[in-house]
Amino acid sequence: MSLDKATVAKIAHLARIKVPDSDLEQLAGELNTIMHWVEMLGEVDTQNVEPMTSVVAANLRRRPDAVTDGGYPEKVVANATDATENFFSVPKVVE
Amino acid sequence: MAKTMAYRIAGETGEWEVVIGLEVHAQVVSNAKLFSGAATAFGAAPNSQVSFVDAGFPGMLPVINEVCVEQAVRTGLGLKAQINLRSVFDRKNYFYADLPSGYQISQFQQPIVGHGTIVLDLADGSTREVGITRLHLEMDAGKSLHDQNPTKTYIDLNRSGVALMEIVSEPDMRTPEEAAAYLRKLRTILRYLGTCDGNMEEGSMRCDINVSVRKPGEKYGTRTETKNVNSIRYVQQAIEYEAHRQVQVIEDGGVVVQETRLWDPNKGETRSMRSKEEAHDYRYFPDPDLLPLELDAAWVEDIKRTLPELPDEKKARFMADYKLPVYDAGVLVAERSRADFYEEVARGRDPKMAANFVIGDLLGALNKTGADIDSSPISAAALGGLIDLIADNTISGRIAKEVFADMLETGKPAAQIVEEKGLRQVTDTGAIDQAIAAVMAANADKVAEFRSGKDKLFGFFVGQVMKATQGKANPALVNEILTAKLKG
């Protein structure tokens, strides 16, 4: 697998990272190097091996259906760049 | 038995078939959210039901609500679907102002529920099966308010993190009516199960519509997905609009673009939602904060044992045990509380008469005031009391309608109304004899006509006698005595 400039530009856009066109070539090279390195894992035969999801035997922990949190809107919006009456306020996004 | 009503769109190049699949987002009934302990109640003050998990604050970890899992399993069982004992949560990545963490926790390749079936009840009494592809659990996003400020959008995260079940159908529907029947039936099942309140106005049930068109018998065409459709009527309208639009595009030499569209209820049209397009590359990957969800088969069996009787089974039972016609049974089982009400009325009474009063009189009256059966001014026991008065000949069916109207207004028991208004049916043959004699004396000419062969006048005499007795004479007795007297 090999990344071209256009793919790198698309990934950057999807991740909302601003990358100047002049940097795309170099970034593609770096990402390709990383991917080739990771692809070494493909040498291991994992045909009949279940994906490992935890290093210890554990089950997904569950919570009871009880209201134990919330009720602090001012803390929720405390770090907002713009807040109005406990709403987050953002530039208009509507079609 | 599945009568297919051929619904076709007439184009210039021939007829087109419409292919419809629906994705329903049903809000799970639970106290707390899917991955946090914040409340889920509708209509709270902005951001007052938000934990730091729901607000996507750094370092906060999701912990799954066991009741939400149970509700999803219960729904899967109610849809006769396969329950996957192992499912996986994934991150669906996109940027939007109402999604603070930049990803939605959802299930992609391994959903909690697999294939199932819904039986549609169509208007002509026929049924049709629609496949369920899957049901998965996911968290809802926050709510955007666009109309509060001319340049700003306000974000309320109270809905962020509330559990949703996304229920995806197979592309098995062919008409807007079938899509409507699917939504109604799904809503009925969810309400029976108590897993979603099905309230489309409050957004607890939302629908995305996949529509494509094709010449009958050909392979599927390219589909579009229409979002933001919040009533069953709009779903039908959006399908019709979108199908006609696609036929027009193809016949004009164009191609249908696979895209997300938005339903505009004011203009009655769908339009392209361009901003969603580039966001469609969701880059799903397993959420590293959550282990796979593993269910115990015995726990699933326990849930199965607590399922209520579902609408299809109830309908079949009503038809078999109460000998009700398919229409009556369908109307009665559409809401669980309605079916329960009916059964209480019908207990120990004539089931068809009970159905007629519940459907024809009570539901009709409730419809006018917009009330549902839970807030009926006439209880099941009271309605049963009215039917008992007909059964024991205290009043006639005709007088019963009058008593019913009075009960609706005053809330008094039927027997009391009958006593107070003196509506008790006259079964005293002496009194009826007298009334008949008086009517015959006053209409001697008509009696003569009748006796010379004008049989049709019988109805006239019955009417006169009933009038003379203020409708209280027992009709069967009147008929009997009148026949004897007129024949002289």
Side-chain angles (χ1 to χ4, degrees):
Chain A
M1 188 172 176
S2 176
L3 297 176
D4 58 15
K5 269 169 63 176
T7 309
V8 175
K10 188 185 173 197
I11 295 167
H13 176 70
L14 286 171
R16 298 294 187 274
I17 297 173
K18 192 173 183 178
V19 177
D21 284 351
S22 54
D23 289 358
L24 289 175
E25 188 82 57
Q26 192 200 333
L27 261 180
E30 284 178 24
L31 287 172
N32 276 324
T33 309
I34 294 168
M35 284 192 15
H36 285 311
W37 183 73
V38 172
E39 271 171 11
M40 267 201 304
L41 291 172
E43 292 168 17
V44 184
D45 179 8
T46 55
Q47 195 69 45
N48 295 309
V49 181
E50 281 277 304
M52 187 178 72
T53 51
S54 172
V55 290
V56 291
N59 282 319
L60 180 64
R61 196 164 75 79
R62 305 181 189 184
R63 70 162 72 238
D65 181 32
V67 176
T68 56
D69 207 346
Y72 41 75
E74 62 294 333
K75 286 187 186 170
V76 170
V77 298
N79 297 314
T81 48
D82 188 6
T84 306
E85 290 169 51
N86 289 337
F87 286 110
F88 292 93
S89 175
V90 301
K92 201 154 201 116
V93 277
V94 68
E95 291 192 60
Chain B
M1 60 178 176
K3 251 184 282 173
T4 317
M5 295 174 291
Y7 171 83
R8 297 281 189 264
I9 296 203
E12 284 166 21
T13 59
E15 294 198 320
W16 296 82
E17 183 182 49
V18 184
V19 176
I20 306 155
L22 297 174
E23 289 172 23
V24 171
H25 289 87
Q27 191 178 310
V28 173
V29 172
S30 66
N31 298 316
K33 294 182 179 181
L34 180 55
F35 294 115
S36 87
T40 58
F42 182 78
N47 288 316
S48 65
Q49 296 181 162
V50 180
S51 77
F52 294 140
V53 178
D54 311 316
F57 278 25
M60 303 310 296
L61 291 173
V63 180
I64 198 162
N65 180 331
E66 62 186 4
V67 166
C68 295
V69 176
E70 186 182 331
Q71 294 285 57
V73 169
R74 188 181 300 281
T75 305
L77 292 169
L79 297 173
K80 315 267 188 275
Q82 174 201 332
I83 306 299
N84 295 326
L85 296 180
R86 185 178 195 276
S87 63
V88 172
F89 287 98
D90 298 279
R91 290 186 180 179
K92 178 180 178 177
N93 299 279
Y94 65 94
F95 286 100
Y96 209 72
D98 58 20
L99 188 73
S101 55
Y103 60 84
Q104 178 193 31
I105 303 177
S106 181
Q107 296 189 303
F108 187 47
Q109 282 173 337
Q110 294 173 265
I112 187 166
V113 175
H115 279 278
T117 312
I118 282 192
V119 178
L120 307 190
D121 305 289
L122 300 172
D124 63 358
S126 67
T127 59
R128 174 161 159 69
E129 279 194 5
V130 170
I132 300 289
T133 311
R134 59 184 283 164
L135 175 156
H136 68 250
L137 269 174
E138 62 184 25
M139 48 168 271
D140 207 346
K143 194 173 170 62
S144 301
L145 292 93
H146 303 295
D147 53 0
Q148 307 289 309
N149 181 303
T151 59
K152 298 285 188 181
T153 292
Y154 290 163
I155 309 288
D156 175 9
L157 296 181
N158 280 349
R159 210 179 59 189
S160 169
V162 170
L164 298 177
M165 298 178 283
E166 179 170 326
I167 303 164
V168 183
S169 84
E170 296 286 327
D172 284 350
M173 288 158 276
R174 297 289 177 271
T175 73
E177 288 70 31
E178 286 177 3
Y182 172 88
L183 289 170
R184 277 196 295 270
K185 188 57 172 283
L186 178 60
R187 186 169 60 182
T188 297
I189 292 172
L190 294 172
R191 284 180 173 164
Y192 265 67
L193 294 167
T195 56
C196 169
D197 69 23
N199 188 329
M200 289 187 89
E201 294 73 44
E202 286 181 7
S204 40
M205 202 173 126
R206 308 194 286 272
C207 182
D208 298 342
I209 313 163
N210 289 305
V211 174
S212 63
V213 296
R214 65 174 174 186
K215 289 282 173 65
E218 289 184 3
K219 63 182 181 59
Y220 290 139
T222 305
R223 67 166 193 268
T224 61
E225 183 183 3
T226 302
K227 289 187 175 290
N228 194 35
V229 195
N230 64 359
S231 81
I232 290 175
R233 192 166 54 93
Y234 287 157
V235 167
Q236 292 181 260
Q237 289 174 7
I239 291 168
E240 292 213 25
Y241 178 88
E242 187 54 22
H244 280 96
R245 186 192 69 84
Q246 290 182 12
V247 167
Q248 190 76 49
V249 166
I250 297 167
E251 294 198 332
D252 287 350
V255 287
V256 174
V257 183
Q258 183 169 349
E259 62 178 355
T260 305
R261 298 178 70 85
L262 185 76
W263 168 247
D264 184 334
N266 298 318
K267 293 185 183 159
E269 63 180 31
T270 67
R271 60 171 185 270
S272 183
M273 228 177 141
R274 286 184 189 82
S275 71
K276 285 271 178 186
E277 288 320 298
E278 61 187 18
H280 254 150
D281 194 342
Y282 291 128
R283 295 147 295 147
Y284 282 97
F285 63 87
D287 191 319
D289 291 339
L290 291 160
L291 287 166
L293 176 57
E294 285 175 334
L295 308 178
D296 184 13
W299 183 72
V300 173
E301 280 305 310
D302 286 346
I303 297 172
K304 198 171 191 171
R305 273 193 287 276
T306 66
L307 286 193
E309 181 184 35
L310 289 163
D312 290 336
E313 296 146 22
K314 209 183 268 292
K315 185 175 164 190
R317 180 168 63 82
F318 279 19
M319 290 168 69
D321 291 3
Y322 298 126
K323 307 281 180 271
L324 294 183
V326 60
Y327 172 82
D328 288 12
V331 170
L332 292 172
V333 305
E335 294 283 346
R336 192 171 166 180
S337 52
R338 192 184 284 178
D340 291 348
F341 188 100
Y342 167 73
E343 290 208 89
E344 201 182 327
V345 176
R347 193 173 303 129
R349 303 191 176 97
D350 176 353
K352 180 58 187 161
M353 193 186 284
N356 289 347
F357 269 101
V358 172
I359 297 172
D361 298 277
L362 184 61
L363 291 181
L366 293 176
N367 249 341
K368 278 183 201 138
T369 57
D372 58 30
I373 205 144
D374 295 318
S375 53
S376 166
I378 302 178
S379 71
L383 188 56
L386 175 63
I387 294 171
D388 289 341
L389 295 181
I390 303 172
D392 71 7
N393 279 324
T394 305
I395 55 172
S396 67
R398 211 177 65 119
I399 290 291
K401 301 281 176 191
E402 196 182 322
V403 177
F404 177 86
D406 210 330
M407 290 168 77
L408 201 60
E409 204 162 298
T410 63
K412 287 181 191 168
Q416 188 186 338
I417 293 167
V418 169
E419 285 314 316
E420 284 177 6
K421 294 196 155 181
L423 296 173
R424 186 174 284 275
Q425 179 163 255
V426 177
T427 48
D428 168 7
T429 50
I432 295 174
D433 278 348
Q434 253 180 19
I436 289 176
V439 167
M440 285 174 67
N443 298 281
D445 50 338
K446 293 230 165 52
V447 172
E449 282 181 49
F450 179 86
R451 286 179 176 158
S452 61
K454 210 167 170 190
D455 290 353
K456 279 188 198 155
L457 279 170
F458 190 76
F460 164 81
F461 287 108
V462 172
Q464 291 298 307
V465 174
M466 292 310 278
K467 201 170 156 192
T469 58
Q470 288 100 48
K472 289 180 287 184
N474 177 304
L477 280 178
V478 171
N479 278 339
E480 192 188 316
I481 300 171
L482 200 51
T483 306
K485 298 263 179 188
L486 281 173
K487 292 213 168 122

